[in-house]
């Protein structure tokens, strides 16, 4: 019942003028920055590990801003997932190498965890008729799970595949000329991970699925970097990565992290710093979050 009430409230708030909604999100974010002590500590630690060259005051300001953006993008789901198609099109733009969506070449869209990733996920099916696949983990609350699935599948030919379904349906979609929306940049634990550099951390556990799926699906890779803007969102597609994948999945995964680093530096407060990105350590190494 509480989940249904929360969703109804978000849909109602989504009818507010966007500047009002963004101001509300910023206010909630500042409050959450004070109250959510554990997540604040995680964000500050991540920023200290990744940006040791910044002053403590600057990292503190970035952490506070990241909470604001988190809350703003969360409230925006009210209109992203229930507003009219015309409203979404007016506020969500897709720019960059949009021509990479043309044709039927198997394509993987590397879509890292910027807070605006759900807006980027809607921008793609609004601009292509190609079959569109993404991978998800089931939410334990069935009401919220249905809300997430419905919001992300509301436009275009979108199929959400559970991680438990395995690799086969993903590769089948790619080889038929589909798009795969892939978010492999979090720390998913030690299983199947490799340790490659990420910012100033020389050994960050990262799954090599981008390289693996690109090889198996004979797919090109483009990146989609989604940004919160005063008027809504901008999702920017990059040209297809040259010489990717290679025969070295570890080197490919290290390159993925380098590409992501460059994008994060353009909008550091908009990345998902509240996640323990470095929780998995090589055997024998102490936690970086103690």
């Amino acid at each position: 019942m509480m989940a249904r009430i929360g969703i109804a409230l978000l849909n109602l708030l989504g009818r507010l003028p966007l500047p009002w909604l963004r101001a509300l999100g910023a206010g909630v974010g500042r409050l959450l920055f004070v109250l959510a002590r554990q997540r604040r500590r995680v964000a500050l630690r991540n920023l200290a590990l990744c940006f040791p060259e910044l002053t403590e005051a600057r990292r503190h300001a970035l952490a506070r801003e990241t909470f604001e953006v988190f809350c703003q993008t969360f409230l925006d789901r009210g209109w992203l997932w229930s507003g009219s198609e015309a409203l979404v099109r007016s506020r969500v733009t897709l720019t960059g190498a949009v021509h990479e969506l043309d044709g039927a070449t198997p394509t993987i869209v590397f879509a890292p965890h910027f807070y605006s990733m759900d807006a980027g996920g809607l921008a793609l099916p609004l601009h292509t008729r190609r079959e569109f696949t993404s991978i998800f983990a089931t939410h334990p609350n069935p009401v919220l799970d249905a809300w997430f699935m419905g919001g992300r599948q509301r436009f275009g030919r979108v199929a959400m595949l559970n991680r438990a379904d395995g690799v086969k349906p993903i590769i089948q979609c790619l080889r038929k000329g589909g798009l795969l929306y892939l978010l492999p940049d979090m720390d998913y634990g030690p299983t199947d991970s490799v340790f490659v550099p990420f910012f100033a951390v020389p050994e960050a556990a990262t799954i090599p699925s981008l390289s693996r799926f690109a090889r198996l699906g004979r797919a090109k890779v483009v990146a989609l970097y989604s940004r919160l803007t005063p008027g809504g969102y901008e999702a920017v597609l990059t040209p297809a990565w040259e010489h990717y994948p290679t025969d070295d999945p570890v080197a490919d995964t290290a390159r993925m992290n380098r590409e992501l680093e460059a994008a994060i530096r353009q909008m550091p407060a908009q990345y998902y710093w509240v996640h323990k990105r470095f929780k998995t350590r090589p055997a024998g190494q102490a936690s970086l979050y103690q």
Side-chain angles (χ1 to χ4, degrees):
M1 179 61 69
M2 292 303 297
R4 294 183 188 279
I5 293 173
I7 292 170
L9 178 59
L10 281 174
N11 291 342
L12 183 62
L13 290 174
R15 300 180 181 180
L16 291 174
L18 188 58
W20 294 13
L21 189 62
R22 291 287 173 78
L24 176 61
V28 173
R30 287 190 289 270
L31 179 61
L32 192 63
F33 183 68
V34 174
L35 297 179
R37 181 179 179 183
Q38 183 60 34
R39 288 297 174 180
R40 182 180 72 243
R41 290 174 64 182
V42 169
L44 287 169
R45 181 58 174 155
N46 283 334
L47 290 167
L49 290 167
C50 293
F51 299 99
E53 73 279 8
L54 298 182
T55 65
E56 184 176 353
R58 175 57 180 152
R59 293 196 297 265
H60 190 274
L62 281 175
R64 184 176 61 249
E65 186 180 349
T66 205
F67 273 75
E68 294 177 12
V69 176
F70 170 80
C71 290
Q72 288 173 322
T73 55
F74 186 83
L75 293 183
D76 278 351
R77 287 191 175 112
W79 59 266
L80 277 170
W81 289 353
S82 68
S84 68
E85 180 177 335
L87 177 66
V88 175
R89 284 185 179 275
S90 71
R91 292 180 176 177
V92 180
T93 62
L94 182 66
T95 62
V98 182
H99 65 275
E100 296 286 3
L101 300 178
D102 298 338
T105 301
T107 303
I108 299 177
V109 180
F110 170 52
H113 282 76
F114 289 98
Y115 292 121
S116 304
M117 59 187 173
D118 278 312
L122 289 184
L124 287 176
L126 284 173
H127 288 83
T128 179
R129 298 178 61 86
R130 293 172 64 180
E131 186 176 352
F132 182 95
T133 304
S134 190
I135 306 169
F136 73 98
T138 302
H139 194 282
N141 185 313
V143 174
L144 292 178
D145 188 65
W147 181 55
F148 282 121
M149 293 304 101
R152 290 165 177 164
Q153 294 178 282
R154 62 183 308 224
F155 302 127
R157 300 165 59 201
V158 179
M160 301 296 291
L161 300 177
N162 195 299
R163 289 175 186 163
D165 295 333
V167 173
K168 186 176 180 179
I170 299 170
I171 302 305
Q172 287 177 336
C173 175
L174 281 173
R175 290 186 175 178
K176 289 190 299 183
L179 298 171
L180 172 62
Y181 191 75
L182 194 63
L183 301 87
D185 57 310
M186 295 283 95
D187 186 334
Y188 292 105
T191 303
D192 296 328
S193 291
V194 297
F195 289 95
V196 292
F198 186 54
F199 282 99
V201 179
E203 295 176 303
T206 311
I207 55 173
S209 58
L210 182 64
S211 175
R212 180 189 182 196
F213 289 153
R215 289 197 311 276
L216 292 175
R218 299 188 285 271
K220 67 180 180 181
V221 171
V222 300
L224 182 71
Y225 302 129
S226 302
R227 178 195 300 265
L228 181 85
T229 66
Y233 294 91
E234 180 185 22
V236 182
L237 268 174
T238 71
W241 293 0
E242 295 183 355
H243 312 299
Y244 192 100
T246 69
D247 293 330
D248 186 342
V250 176
D252 287 347
T253 305
R255 177 182 173 183
M256 181 191 82
N257 280 357
R258 292 194 302 272
E259 298 280 355
L260 176 54
E261 286 178 31
I264 291 173
R265 290 185 185 278
Q266 299 300 313
M267 44 179 170
Q270 298 206 26
Y271 190 62
Y272 205 81
W273 297 118
V274 294
H275 164 76
K276 287 187 177 182
R277 177 60 184 88
F278 308 106
K279 63 184 177 182
T280 302
R281 305 304 303 140
Q285 291 194 19
S287 170
L288 295 177
Y289 296 96
Q290 292 178 344

